[in-house]
Amino acid sequence: MFCITMMIRNYYEVHGTFDGIQDTILHDRIEEMRKGTGLSYDDFLYTQLGYQKVNEGHLSKLSIQELTEARALFITRQSKALAQKLGIPEEGSFNSIFKDAGIPILSFKIKQEKLEDRYADIINLLAFYYKNDTNLYCIVNKRPLPLFYSLEVLCSKSTNIRKTIDALMEDKEVVRSLAKIRCRKDSKLLIQGKYCITPNNYTNEEKDMIQRKALEIACFPYTVNLNKLFKVSQNLPFLSFNDNAKYLKMLDFAKGIGSTYQEIANTYGINLPDQLPVFNKYGILLFKLTKDESYFIDAQCDAKNRPYKQGNQMFS
């Protein structure tokens, strides 16, 4: 049933909800698995993600589905809505409530920050360039790595965003990988070679600020350090069984900001497609991570036998 569980997870990762799953090929298998559990249809589906009912404390009155909603509010620090949902004063000790329920108390303060018009375009262009251009390389531990991957590795070493950016701007190899900002009055804003051409004449202090902010957006697109949950983006496709507690936190965060796991993965350069068409036709889930690296899950896979690497080599 591992294959069905992974399909249930994929459905939720793509849609951010289980609405409509009863109209898919999965429905009969879900009912077969649910039989004898005593759980409602929705609560059973959430257990397949890894959520469990809380039996004591403030959270015990919630269904598993309601618990996921409370967790989403908690991880994104939406205190007023959470207090209302739990029926407690807003100044209540949320940390102790979740800690007593055995739920990790990690949470993130989402910053709403608007870039100044003079800098917004160039910062966003550089951030996109640093995050997505596969021709950019950086030396990390004497190894040449794609810049976007290097940034993920380096960002996983600290949980403090400001200190992380300080460290990146002091790293000679990172700085060497960045585009040089050049003013050309008769040009539009563009990347050309290793240069960022702009019609604006920025001071050295402004250039430093632009580079710092571009790195911050490239590394932390949601203004918080999610890297502590998955370390590097290549872990996202299989995080659900490699570290289910952190996977649930990712689902909580996605729900809390009104997004989906798929959308967050895509922001970090990972494509998590809807597996239902492939499953309908072949009875498998297929994950193509890179041009030369693919994995699949079939009926032979279980909690111990993980996805197969293309060519029948076991994934570890």
Short mmCIF file of all heavy atoms in Angstrom, two decimals, residues 238 285-287 294-302 305-316:
data_model
loop_
_atom_site.label_atom_id
_atom_site.label_comp_id
_atom_site.label_asym_id
_atom_site.label_seq_id
_atom_site.Cartn_x
_atom_site.Cartn_y
_atom_site.Cartn_z
N PHE A 238 11.43 13.30 -1.72
CA PHE A 238 11.32 12.13 -0.85
C PHE A 238 11.38 12.48 0.63
O PHE A 238 11.62 11.63 1.48
CB PHE A 238 12.40 11.11 -1.21
CG PHE A 238 12.40 10.72 -2.66
CD1 PHE A 238 13.55 10.82 -3.42
CD2 PHE A 238 11.24 10.28 -3.27
CE1 PHE A 238 13.55 10.48 -4.76
CE2 PHE A 238 11.22 9.93 -4.61
CZ PHE A 238 12.37 10.02 -5.36
N LEU A 285 4.61 5.69 -9.80
CA LEU A 285 4.94 7.10 -9.68
C LEU A 285 6.35 7.28 -10.23
O LEU A 285 7.24 6.48 -9.92
CB LEU A 285 4.92 7.59 -8.23
CG LEU A 285 3.58 7.66 -7.50
CD1 LEU A 285 3.13 6.29 -7.01
CD2 LEU A 285 3.67 8.62 -6.32
N LEU A 286 6.55 8.27 -11.07
CA LEU A 286 7.85 8.49 -11.70
C LEU A 286 8.38 9.88 -11.33
O LEU A 286 7.71 10.88 -11.54
CB LEU A 286 7.72 8.38 -13.22
CG LEU A 286 9.00 8.62 -14.03
CD1 LEU A 286 10.05 7.57 -13.70
CD2 LEU A 286 8.68 8.62 -15.52
N PHE A 287 9.58 9.90 -10.76
CA PHE A 287 10.22 11.15 -10.36
C PHE A 287 11.46 11.36 -11.22
O PHE A 287 12.42 10.59 -11.12
CB PHE A 287 10.62 11.11 -8.88
CG PHE A 287 9.47 10.94 -7.94
CD1 PHE A 287 8.98 9.68 -7.63
CD2 PHE A 287 8.87 12.05 -7.36
CE1 PHE A 287 7.91 9.53 -6.75
CE2 PHE A 287 7.80 11.90 -6.49
CZ PHE A 287 7.32 10.64 -6.19
N SER A 294 16.41 9.45 -12.59
CA SER A 294 14.97 9.23 -12.38
C SER A 294 14.76 8.12 -11.36
O SER A 294 15.59 7.20 -11.23
CB SER A 294 14.29 8.83 -13.70
OG SER A 294 14.41 9.85 -14.66
N TYR A 295 13.65 8.19 -10.65
CA TYR A 295 13.27 7.17 -9.69
C TYR A 295 11.80 6.83 -9.89
O TYR A 295 11.04 7.66 -10.36
CB TYR A 295 13.47 7.65 -8.25
CG TYR A 295 14.91 8.00 -7.91
CD1 TYR A 295 15.39 9.29 -8.09
CD2 TYR A 295 15.77 7.03 -7.42
CE1 TYR A 295 16.70 9.61 -7.79
CE2 TYR A 295 17.09 7.35 -7.12
CZ TYR A 295 17.55 8.63 -7.30
OH TYR A 295 18.85 8.95 -7.02
N PHE A 296 11.43 5.60 -9.55
CA PHE A 296 10.02 5.26 -9.64
C PHE A 296 9.60 4.44 -8.43
O PHE A 296 10.40 3.76 -7.79
CB PHE A 296 9.70 4.54 -10.96
CG PHE A 296 10.29 3.16 -11.08
CD1 PHE A 296 9.59 2.04 -10.65
CD2 PHE A 296 11.54 2.98 -11.67
CE1 PHE A 296 10.13 0.77 -10.78
CE2 PHE A 296 12.08 1.71 -11.80
CZ PHE A 296 11.38 0.60 -11.35
N ILE A 297 8.32 4.53 -8.13
CA ILE A 297 7.71 3.77 -7.04
C ILE A 297 6.63 2.90 -7.65
O ILE A 297 5.78 3.38 -8.40
CB ILE A 297 7.08 4.71 -6.00
CG1 ILE A 297 8.16 5.57 -5.34
CG2 ILE A 297 6.30 3.94 -4.94
CD1 ILE A 297 7.61 6.64 -4.41
N ASP A 298 6.67 1.60 -7.35
CA ASP A 298 5.64 0.69 -7.84
C ASP A 298 5.08 -0.13 -6.69
O ASP A 298 5.38 0.13 -5.52
CB ASP A 298 6.18 -0.21 -8.96
CG ASP A 298 7.33 -1.11 -8.49
OD1 ASP A 298 7.53 -1.25 -7.26
OD2 ASP A 298 8.03 -1.67 -9.35
N ALA A 299 4.28 -1.12 -7.01
CA ALA A 299 3.60 -1.91 -5.98
C ALA A 299 4.57 -2.73 -5.13
O ALA A 299 4.20 -3.22 -4.05
CB ALA A 299 2.57 -2.85 -6.63
N GLN A 300 5.81 -2.91 -5.60
CA GLN A 300 6.80 -3.68 -4.84
C GLN A 300 7.47 -2.85 -3.75
O GLN A 300 8.15 -3.39 -2.89
CB GLN A 300 7.86 -4.24 -5.80
CG GLN A 300 7.31 -5.11 -6.91
CD GLN A 300 6.49 -6.28 -6.37
OE1 GLN A 300 6.93 -6.98 -5.46
NE2 GLN A 300 5.30 -6.46 -6.92
N CYS A 301 7.30 -1.55 -3.82
CA CYS A 301 7.94 -0.66 -2.84
C CYS A 301 7.14 -0.66 -1.53
O CYS A 301 5.91 -0.77 -1.53
CB CYS A 301 8.03 0.76 -3.37
SG CYS A 301 9.12 0.94 -4.79
N ASP A 302 7.86 -0.55 -0.43
CA ASP A 302 7.21 -0.39 0.88
C ASP A 302 8.09 0.51 1.73
O ASP A 302 9.00 1.16 1.22
CB ASP A 302 6.97 -1.76 1.55
CG ASP A 302 8.24 -2.58 1.71
OD1 ASP A 302 9.33 -1.97 1.83
OD2 ASP A 302 8.17 -3.81 1.72
N ASN A 305 11.66 -0.82 1.22
CA ASN A 305 12.12 -0.80 -0.17
C ASN A 305 11.68 0.51 -0.80
O ASN A 305 10.55 0.65 -1.25
CB ASN A 305 11.54 -1.98 -0.95
CG ASN A 305 12.03 -3.30 -0.40
OD1 ASN A 305 13.21 -3.44 -0.14
ND2 ASN A 305 11.13 -4.24 -0.21
N ARG A 306 12.58 1.47 -0.81
CA ARG A 306 12.28 2.82 -1.23
C ARG A 306 12.25 2.91 -2.76
O ARG A 306 12.45 1.92 -3.45
CB ARG A 306 13.31 3.77 -0.63
CG ARG A 306 13.33 3.72 0.91
CD ARG A 306 11.96 4.10 1.50
NE ARG A 306 11.91 3.97 2.94
CZ ARG A 306 12.41 4.86 3.80
NH1 ARG A 306 13.00 5.94 3.35
NH2 ARG A 306 12.30 4.68 5.09
N PRO A 307 12.05 4.09 -3.29
CA PRO A 307 11.99 4.23 -4.76
C PRO A 307 13.19 3.62 -5.46
O PRO A 307 14.31 3.67 -4.97
CB PRO A 307 11.96 5.75 -4.95
CG PRO A 307 11.31 6.26 -3.72
CD PRO A 307 11.81 5.38 -2.62
N TYR A 308 12.93 3.02 -6.60
CA TYR A 308 13.98 2.44 -7.41
C TYR A 308 14.59 3.50 -8.31
O TYR A 308 13.87 4.31 -8.90
CB TYR A 308 13.44 1.33 -8.32
CG TYR A 308 12.91 0.11 -7.59
CD1 TYR A 308 11.55 -0.02 -7.35
CD2 TYR A 308 13.78 -0.88 -7.16
CE1 TYR A 308 11.06 -1.13 -6.69
CE2 TYR A 308 13.29 -1.99 -6.50
CZ TYR A 308 11.93 -2.12 -6.26
OH TYR A 308 11.45 -3.21 -5.61
N LYS A 309 15.91 3.45 -8.41
CA LYS A 309 16.56 4.31 -9.38
C LYS A 309 16.40 3.67 -10.76
O LYS A 309 16.39 2.45 -10.87
CB LYS A 309 18.05 4.49 -9.04
CG LYS A 309 18.72 5.58 -9.85
CD LYS A 309 20.11 5.88 -9.31
CE LYS A 309 20.73 7.06 -10.05
NZ LYS A 309 22.06 7.40 -9.51
N GLN A 310 16.27 4.49 -11.77
CA GLN A 310 16.11 3.98 -13.11
C GLN A 310 17.26 3.03 -13.43
O GLN A 310 18.42 3.35 -13.24
CB GLN A 310 16.07 5.12 -14.13
CG GLN A 310 15.51 4.74 -15.47
CD GLN A 310 15.33 5.97 -16.34
OE1 GLN A 310 16.13 6.90 -16.30
NE2 GLN A 310 14.28 5.98 -17.12
N GLY A 311 16.91 1.82 -13.89
CA GLY A 311 17.93 0.80 -14.12
C GLY A 311 17.92 -0.22 -13.00
O GLY A 311 18.81 -1.03 -12.90
N ASN A 312 16.84 -0.17 -12.15
CA ASN A 312 16.62 -1.12 -11.05
C ASN A 312 17.68 -1.06 -9.96
O ASN A 312 17.84 -1.99 -9.19
CB ASN A 312 16.55 -2.56 -11.59
CG ASN A 312 15.30 -2.77 -12.40
OD1 ASN A 312 14.27 -2.18 -12.14
ND2 ASN A 312 15.41 -3.65 -13.41
N GLN A 313 18.39 0.04 -9.87
CA GLN A 313 19.32 0.23 -8.76
C GLN A 313 18.55 0.89 -7.62
O GLN A 313 17.89 1.87 -7.79
CB GLN A 313 20.48 1.12 -9.19
CG GLN A 313 21.50 1.37 -8.08
CD GLN A 313 22.62 2.27 -8.56
OE1 GLN A 313 22.69 2.62 -9.72
NE2 GLN A 313 23.51 2.64 -7.64
N MET A 314 18.65 0.31 -6.43
CA MET A 314 17.88 0.79 -5.30
C MET A 314 18.32 2.19 -4.90
O MET A 314 19.50 2.52 -4.90
CB MET A 314 18.00 -0.13 -4.10
CG MET A 314 17.37 -1.49 -4.30
SD MET A 314 15.60 -1.39 -4.63
CE MET A 314 15.03 -0.82 -3.05
N PHE A 315 17.35 3.01 -4.54
CA PHE A 315 17.61 4.37 -4.04
C PHE A 315 17.87 4.29 -2.56
O PHE A 315 17.19 3.59 -1.83
CB PHE A 315 16.38 5.26 -4.31
CG PHE A 315 16.47 6.61 -3.67
CD1 PHE A 315 17.18 7.62 -4.27
CD2 PHE A 315 15.83 6.87 -2.48
CE1 PHE A 315 17.24 8.87 -3.68
CE2 PHE A 315 15.88 8.11 -1.88
CZ PHE A 315 16.60 9.11 -2.50
N SER A 316 18.88 4.99 -2.09
CA SER A 316 19.18 4.97 -0.66
C SER A 316 19.33 6.36 -0.14
O SER A 316 19.59 7.29 -0.88
CB SER A 316 20.48 4.20 -0.41
OG SER A 316 21.55 4.77 -1.12
#
